[in-house]
Amino acid sequence: MRPTMFGEKEVKEIERIPLSNNTVARRIDEMAEWAEDELIRRVVCSKYYTLQLDESTDVQGLSQLLVFVRYIWQNDVHEDILFCKPISRGTAEEIFNAIDSYIKEKGLQWKNCFGICTDGARAMCGKNSSVVTRVLKQSPCALWTHCSLHREALVSKALPNDFKTVLNTAVKIVNYIKTKPLQACLFQKLCEEMGSLHTSLLLHMEVRWLSRGKVLTRLVELRNEVTIYLEGKTEYIESLLDKEFILKLTYLADIFSKLNELNLYLQGSNESDIFAVHDRIQAFMKKLMLWKSCIEDGKYDCFETLETFIIENQLQPKTNILSAISTHLSLLKNNFDAYFGEEMKKLDSLNWICNPFHDRLPSSMSTKASEELIDLSEDTSLKNSFNRKQLTKFWLSVAGNYPCLFDEAIKVLLPFSTSYLCEAGFSAMISVKTKYRNKLDVSNSLRLKVTKIEVDAKAVMTKNRKQIHPSH
């Protein structure tokens, strides 16, 4: 048995079981149920939990609702898969009812849910009867977060028409070679003969966050090979011979690569707090204005691929191209403002959470919490041990002495800032439910593949040993 759904330890335990019809499947279900029961026990004990949810289709074309939970256990923050369930229509009502029935069935309390993170789909966050609206009715203190990854992707989609044309043409060039096996094979042989660093292009996928940057960068790197290969085959070669087209292409490769770097940080932001996420986005917005100023001053070193092409070909970019780049950089900055600015302003009044040792007291804070903040800010030992990079752990460490402050801080720090765990979960689902196993109920298998709770396989199997017949 391959360890694709659980660890080596669990695999070895299963392999010791004498096989009979459905025995392995039954053991998988039992271990998944044990992991689920243990998770529910922990979440019930936690006074606070937050949710992250998304829905997507599996290989069978069936819609799956995936929900992750973040909670406090043994004075630390943990996150895990809460459940995965098939849904038929994907409406707000159906999604909420699936979550609500699970919450109630497992004995969880809506009043302890202080956050929900989703994408921007209407069913998830529409104004009147969305999933978020229904959750907030159950838990009015909950904080809704629009996935930062989703917002960043929306920002990066905004392109002036001339750059959009370049992008679309680049995608068509890649698809002309990549989507036809014979063409891809012949192109690979050409690259090998030319001693190229890479031997294939990357296929553009709109649903993948990093697709654009990687696709364009690879095309730029192999543009000479592509030009040779396309000679006499298609009119796309005219674009690759046009220096203005390549100037725009190299800029797009550079700017999308920079957006990719931000995206990669956001993917790992489950380990960062919302203030750190905002800091990184704010810094990127300032860089956009710096790059705009550099371009307008004729300095191109902020975009390495663009600068290299300009130097190698001894070019002086025309005013219309520089103006288009400047306009695009301004557009990106304005879009970041539109998607993140309001949230940043709301959290400005909560800066005491990430710096509790300054002198100012928030006007909206209760008297009791203000008294605690004064005491905490004057605690020299805490001030000396304070680590901004471990903000949540700091507040967990002072929860006993400063309960009011902790209660307000954790409600801001605990919610997810992205739905990346769900996206990673859907990726894991691909290896669990394949076209050869498309009738599989994915819930238990997926839980064992992605859970962070170590399953005590020996205890589970000892408990259920009476169901195993030695004669098998």
Side-chain angles (χ1 to χ4, degrees):
M1 178 176 291
R2 295 179 301 166
T4 56
M5 291 183 288
F6 22 76
E8 296 287 350
K9 180 179 177 181
E10 288 78 6
V11 170
K12 290 178 181 178
E13 294 291 345
I14 292 175
E15 287 176 342
R16 294 195 187 105
I17 303 171
L19 292 179
S20 64
N21 291 338
N22 299 321
T23 298
V24 174
R26 189 164 63 247
R27 295 289 86 82
I28 290 174
D29 290 343
E30 289 166 355
M31 287 191 288
E33 289 166 7
W34 187 94
E36 182 181 23
D37 290 343
E38 174 62 18
L39 173 65
I40 296 301
R41 183 180 73 85
R42 296 181 181 187
V43 178
V44 168
C45 292
S46 176
K47 185 180 176 182
Y48 312 86
Y49 72 87
T50 65
L51 302 175
Q52 169 189 146
L53 58 116
D54 200 356
E55 61 96 12
S56 186
T57 54
D58 60 24
V59 68
Q60 194 181 359
L62 185 66
S63 292
Q64 299 281 353
L65 173 63
L66 189 53
V67 181
F68 277 77
V69 63
R70 180 180 281 172
Y71 60 98
I72 298 171
W73 172 251
Q74 295 182 340
N75 208 37
D76 203 357
V77 174
H78 299 263
E79 49 198 29
D80 215 316
I81 179 173
L82 188 62
F83 70 84
C84 177
K85 284 187 176 182
I87 51 178
S88 58
R89 295 174 297 159
T91 62
E93 182 180 12
E94 183 184 17
I95 293 172
F96 173 77
N97 287 341
I99 301 171
D100 187 50
S101 62
Y102 187 90
I103 294 289
K104 292 175 179 176
E105 176 190 343
K106 299 301 181 182
L108 302 179
Q109 299 294 320
W110 272 118
K111 66 179 182 180
N112 293 337
C113 177
F114 287 98
I116 178 171
C117 180
T118 72
D119 62 18
R122 181 176 299 179
M124 291 293 185
C125 61
K127 291 184 179 180
N128 299 320
S129 57
S130 65
V131 175
V132 172
T133 301
R134 295 165 193 261
V135 169
L136 295 181
K137 286 181 180 178
Q138 299 292 324
S139 181
C141 294
L143 174 70
W144 172 62
T145 306
H146 183 182
C147 171
S148 296
L149 281 169
H150 185 256
R151 282 183 281 175
E152 193 261 2
L154 292 173
V155 168
S156 66
K157 281 186 175 182
L159 279 174
N161 289 333
D162 48 352
F163 284 123
K164 193 175 295 184
T165 300
V166 171
L167 176 62
N168 291 339
T169 302
V171 171
K172 290 176 181 177
I173 291 172
V174 172
N175 289 345
Y176 179 84
I177 297 174
K178 191 68 178 176
T179 59
K180 301 173 183 177
L182 178 60
Q183 300 275 27
C185 183
L186 292 174
F187 181 71
Q188 179 180 344
K189 289 185 179 297
L190 172 66
C191 292
E192 290 172 352
E193 291 172 0
M194 294 181 65
S196 305
L197 182 63
H198 305 290
T199 59
S200 65
L201 297 170
L202 299 177
L203 195 62
H204 177 259
M205 295 290 288
E206 192 66 35
V207 295
R208 292 181 182 172
W209 289 318
L210 304 184
S211 180
R212 289 183 180 180
K214 290 184 176 180
V215 168
L216 296 181
T217 299
R218 180 65 61 85
L219 179 58
V220 168
E221 291 171 345
L222 292 176
R223 67 183 182 276
N224 293 329
E225 290 85 343
V226 173
T227 301
I228 293 172
Y229 181 77
L230 293 181
E231 188 173 358
K233 292 184 175 71
T234 172
E235 69 277 6
Y236 295 141
I237 192 173
E238 297 177 5
S239 296
L240 294 174
L241 295 174
D242 182 350
K243 286 185 170 56
E244 287 195 13
F245 177 89
I246 299 299
L247 280 170
K248 295 175 183 177
L249 181 65
T250 53
Y251 162 71
L252 288 177
D254 283 330
I255 192 62
F256 280 125
S257 292
K258 292 179 184 296
L259 286 165
N260 285 355
E261 292 174 8
L262 175 62
N263 193 290
L264 285 170
Y265 173 82
L266 295 177
Q267 286 185 32
S269 64
N270 283 322
E271 300 177 1
S272 304
D273 56 80
I274 187 64
F275 296 100
V277 170
H278 284 178
D279 288 346
R280 184 62 64 95
I281 291 171
Q282 188 67 52
F284 193 86
M285 292 166 65
K286 290 182 178 179
K287 288 179 184 177
L288 287 169
M289 292 297 94
L290 170 65
W291 300 332
K292 179 178 184 292
S293 177
C294 289
I295 288 296
E296 291 173 349
D297 292 340
K299 301 176 183 177
Y300 311 119
D301 56 341
C302 50
F303 297 118
E304 183 178 350
T305 311
L306 174 66
E307 183 187 40
T308 299
F309 183 74
I310 289 174
I311 293 174
E312 288 179 350
N313 292 272
Q314 298 181 339
L315 297 176
Q316 177 56 51
K318 294 181 179 179
T319 303
N320 66 312
I321 294 179
L322 298 180
S323 177
I325 293 174
S326 177
T327 299
H328 182 230
L329 293 172
S330 293
L331 179 63
L332 286 174
K333 196 269 182 185
N334 293 338
N335 284 346
F336 271 111
D337 252 333
Y339 281 105
F340 291 94
E342 184 178 350
E343 183 181 81
M344 290 178 177
K345 290 177 181 178
K346 286 182 179 179
L347 290 182
D348 279 347
S349 61
L350 299 173
N351 277 333
W352 60 268
I353 295 174
C354 54
N355 183 12
F357 299 101
H358 59 60
D359 296 330
R360 291 182 300 169
L361 290 175
S363 58
S364 59
M365 185 177 284
S366 68
T367 302
K368 178 62 177 175
S370 296
E371 291 173 355
E372 288 185 1
L373 184 57
I374 290 173
D375 289 338
L376 185 151
S377 64
E378 297 301 325
D379 190 321
T380 304
S381 62
L382 286 178
K383 186 180 295 186
N384 292 336
S385 63
F386 179 72
N387 185 345
R388 171 63 184 82
K389 293 183 179 180
Q390 296 182 334
L391 194 58
T392 305
K393 287 186 176 181
F394 169 79
W395 285 108
L396 285 168
S397 71
V398 300
N401 293 328
Y402 306 100
C404 292
L405 282 182
F406 168 77
D407 187 68
E408 292 194 32
I410 203 65
K411 290 175 183 177
V412 176
L413 296 174
L414 194 62
F416 291 99
S417 61
T418 76
S419 57
Y420 180 68
L421 286 180
C422 285
E423 296 298 336
F426 287 126
S427 295
M429 189 183 296
I430 295 174
S431 64
V432 173
K433 189 171 185 177
T434 67
K435 63 179 181 180
Y436 302 109
R437 303 166 66 210
N438 59 16
K439 300 298 182 182
L440 177 71
D441 180 354
V442 75
S443 179
N444 285 340
S445 298
L446 182 63
R447 182 181 297 280
L448 286 180
K449 184 168 179 64
V450 304
T451 184
K452 296 182 181 179
I453 294 176
E454 184 175 351
V455 178
D456 189 342
K458 187 174 182 179
V460 174
M461 285 182 270
T462 299
K463 178 182 177 182
N464 297 280
R465 195 169 295 279
K466 61 182 181 180
Q467 299 177 14
I468 303 175
H469 302 287
S471 59
H472 290 177

